[in-house]
Amino acid sequence: MKKQQQLYKGSLNAVIMRLLEQNGRMYGYEITQKVKELTVGEMNLTEGALYPALHKLESEGFLDVELERVDGRIRKYYKLTESGVKETNHLIEELDNFIKNMQSIVNLKLT
């Protein structure tokens, strides 16, 4: 399973940004749980991987942060900026091409 986690790491930004695109805004724990749910537990997104990625995307101007008080605690919600939406489309397109290319290689028939 360790090697699989390395494969997922390369697509982490695309995963985060696609989820935010689909859901409008989310907080960190919610993102980790959604990834687990969508991949039926195959992809375990740790806080140690998630938060540095979120902070980097925020510093690059792709995410906005909204603070909201929930049950007496401050919760950080992340949402895409306008440039974040464009970057998401770009990343998904790149990932889609990568997947198609990998399928072509993996499914090669020996003639």
Side-chain angles (χ1 to χ4, degrees):
M1 182 94 147
K2 192 107 176 114
K3 286 194 187 315
Q4 201 171 8
Q5 291 298 102
Q6 289 174 330
L7 289 174
Y8 287 139
K9 195 172 194 258
S11 55
L12 183 57
N13 286 353
V15 168
I16 292 168
M17 294 171 82
R18 181 56 144 205
L19 285 175
L20 291 173
E21 181 187 55
Q22 298 290 313
N23 294 281
R25 67 176 206 158
M26 300 175 83
Y27 57 96
Y29 180 74
E30 186 179 15
I31 294 171
T32 63
Q33 294 310 295
K34 192 68 172 172
V35 167
K36 193 182 287 185
E37 176 194 323
L38 290 171
T39 63
V40 198
E42 280 295 308
M43 184 177 178
N44 186 18
L45 181 54
T46 63
E47 289 182 10
L50 176 65
Y51 287 102
L54 286 171
H55 296 153
K56 188 171 188 319
L57 290 168
E58 182 188 355
S59 72
E60 290 171 343
F62 297 134
L63 298 183
D64 267 339
V65 174
E66 294 176 351
L67 299 177
E68 193 173 297
R69 187 173 292 279
V70 179
D71 298 328
R73 295 176 54 203
I74 298 294
R75 183 178 283 168
K76 253 186 177 182
Y77 283 93
Y78 298 89
K79 67 180 200 173
L80 293 175
T81 60
E82 203 173 307
S83 64
V85 172
K86 289 181 185 137
E87 180 66 7
T88 301
N89 293 332
H90 175 72
L91 286 175
I92 295 301
E93 196 175 302
E94 277 185 352
L95 194 54
D96 197 39
N97 287 334
F98 174 76
I99 291 167
K100 285 177 187 161
N101 288 331
M102 290 308 292
Q103 283 175 329
S104 297
I105 292 166
V106 170
N107 296 328
L108 273 178
K109 300 278 187 274
L110 294 175
T111 52

